[in-house]
Amino acid sequence: MTVSFTWPFALLFLGAVPLLLGGYLLAIRRRRRTAVRYSSLALLRSALPRRSRWQRHVPVAFLGLGLALLGIAAARPQITSNVPIGQTSVILALDESGSMCSTDIKPNRLYVAQHAAHEFVNSEPAGVKMGLVLFSGFAELAVPPTRDRSELNKALDNLNAGDGTAIGAAILKSLDAISEVNPEVQPVGNAVESGAVSPNAKPAGGSQKAGTHGYVPDVIVLLTDGANNQGIDPLSAVPYAVARRVRVYTIGFGNSNPAPLDCSTQQLGGQGGGGFGSGSISSYGGYAGGFAGGPDMVADLPTLQKVSQRTGGASYDAQDASQLTKVFAKLPKDIAVQKEHHEISDMFAAVGGLMALATIGAAIRWSPYP
């Protein structure tokens, strides 16, 4: 836990405390020099109220302490602490579009992404809730946030390649998934995806910049190998994540020279097609032949970087299986510990005000005049 100040220049007001003490000591010295001589000390003692020597210094001590506390309060101190890992939810948004059948990464992108996702899910601390959003031409919540890793692994074993790539919709669906476990995150709903609300409309929850009041501990990890070609644009979905203070970590998967498509029968949902190494998936409508090498089969890294940058996350690029494994291995270091900021200036202001009242009370109580 660390302490910082929003307005550190206000700490200059603390200079009033030594000035006060210096003036007080100077006043005591002058009072001694101008003391009146009395012929009878007994008569003088009987005329003054009885009090110990330290009591006359109490009001000034209270006043100095009060000024110091009010000066600290003016600087708006805040403490930064780590959020327990059990408060974190991770939503893995995984691309299962037809381009994931590209064999530029052997045996194909979807197979490698499945296995890397399995390792990521199983390596997360037990206290972390994880959810799975799958997207191709549309996005769906396959597994709501849960601590049951078996349910997540089962869903990952049954990925089915589909038509299209809806990255923006995946972000919105992931935000809805987080809203189910974190009441601070408002749901987006289907209004944007259905066209009932313009993507450029002001998102619910405000429009403050990410990080103005810190981030929620929940994050989105989005993996895609292509460019958005369905639904809301990813950058139009970003304001909804910003308003909810949710960070998005993006992973651009695959290289810039995609190979012919080849998905297994299981990856095609039992629709037939070749096994790994057959060289084509002619049974998969719309993706045979010339689709390989199209622009939608190359990750839109500039857009992914903007998504992460604007939401406070990080962007990664993985061009083979080993790089993807390393990227997933880095993610727990980024998301396992979240920092929260709590301003405590009101506490210092309240105690400083009490010291001011104590100064008045002590001055009245131990006044030299009856």
Side-chain angles (χ1 to χ4, degrees), residues 91-113:
I91 305 300
L92 176 60
L94 191 61
D95 187 348
E96 56 173 2
S97 60
S99 59
M100 292 288 283
C101 291
S102 174
T103 54
D104 58 335
I105 302 175
K106 301 298 181 181
N108 66 16
R109 294 176 181 177
L110 189 58
Y111 180 88
V112 173

Side-chain angles (χ1 to χ4, degrees), residues 126-148:
V128 175
K129 289 184 178 181
M130 299 193 71
L132 179 64
V133 168
L134 301 176
F135 66 96
S136 51
F138 63 94
E140 63 175 341
L141 179 60
V143 180
T146 179
R147 293 188 178 93
D148 185 358

Side-chain angles (χ1 to χ4, degrees), residues 120 123-124 221 249 251 314-318 322-337:
F120 174 58
S123 65
E124 283 294 283
V221 177
Y249 292 75
I251 304 172
S315 182
Y316 302 94
D317 177 19
S322 62
Q323 288 182 10
L324 183 60
T325 300
K326 291 178 181 179
V327 167
F328 273 122
K330 291 178 182 178
L331 288 172
K333 298 177 182 178
D334 291 329
I335 63 180
V337 178

Side-chain angles (χ1 to χ4, degrees), residues 54-249:
W54 64 267
Q55 287 176 335
R56 61 179 178 176
H57 302 305
V58 170
V60 175
F62 281 164
L63 180 59
L65 181 58
L67 289 176
L69 292 172
L70 292 175
I72 295 175
R76 296 183 61 182
Q78 60 181 5
I79 57 175
T80 302
S81 57
N82 293 330
V83 177
I85 193 66
Q87 296 183 23
T88 300
S89 295
V90 180
I91 305 300
L92 176 60
L94 191 61
D95 187 348
E96 56 173 2
S97 60
S99 59
M100 292 288 283
C101 291
S102 174
T103 54
D104 58 335
I105 302 175
K106 301 298 181 181
N108 66 16
R109 294 176 181 177
L110 189 58
Y111 180 88
V112 173
Q114 279 179 301
H115 282 260
H118 275 302
E119 292 183 11
F120 174 58
V121 166
N122 295 327
S123 65
E124 283 294 283
V128 175
K129 289 184 178 181
M130 299 193 71
L132 179 64
V133 168
L134 301 176
F135 66 96
S136 51
F138 63 94
E140 63 175 341
L141 179 60
V143 180
T146 179
R147 293 188 178 93
D148 185 358
R149 300 296 188 257
S150 62
E151 188 175 355
L152 290 160
N153 286 314
K154 182 179 179 181
L156 288 172
D157 285 334
N158 294 284
L159 300 184
N160 296 320
D163 188 4
T165 305
I167 299 174
I171 295 174
L172 299 183
K173 187 65 68 174
S174 299
L175 291 172
D176 280 344
I178 292 175
S179 71
E180 295 182 7
V181 293
N182 187 344
E184 293 185 18
V185 178
Q186 299 179 7
V188 177
N190 298 320
V192 176
E193 297 176 66
S194 64
V197 176
S198 168
N200 297 321
K202 182 179 179 180
S207 59
Q208 71 270 24
K209 294 181 180 180
T212 301
H213 302 292
Y215 301 102
V216 296
D218 315 283
V219 298
I220 298 171
V221 177
L222 185 146
L223 182 149
T224 181
D225 73 331
N228 189 83
N229 56 23
Q230 297 287 336
I232 184 173
D233 182 79
L235 296 183
S236 296
V238 162
Y240 294 87
V242 172
R244 289 157 179 78
R245 299 180 290 123
V246 175
R247 288 170 292 175
V248 181
Y249 292 75

Side-chain angles (χ1 to χ4, degrees), residues 102-104 109 254-260 293 297-298:
S102 174
T103 54
D104 58 335
R109 294 176 181 177
N255 56 54
S256 58
N257 298 305
M297 290 184 63
V298 179

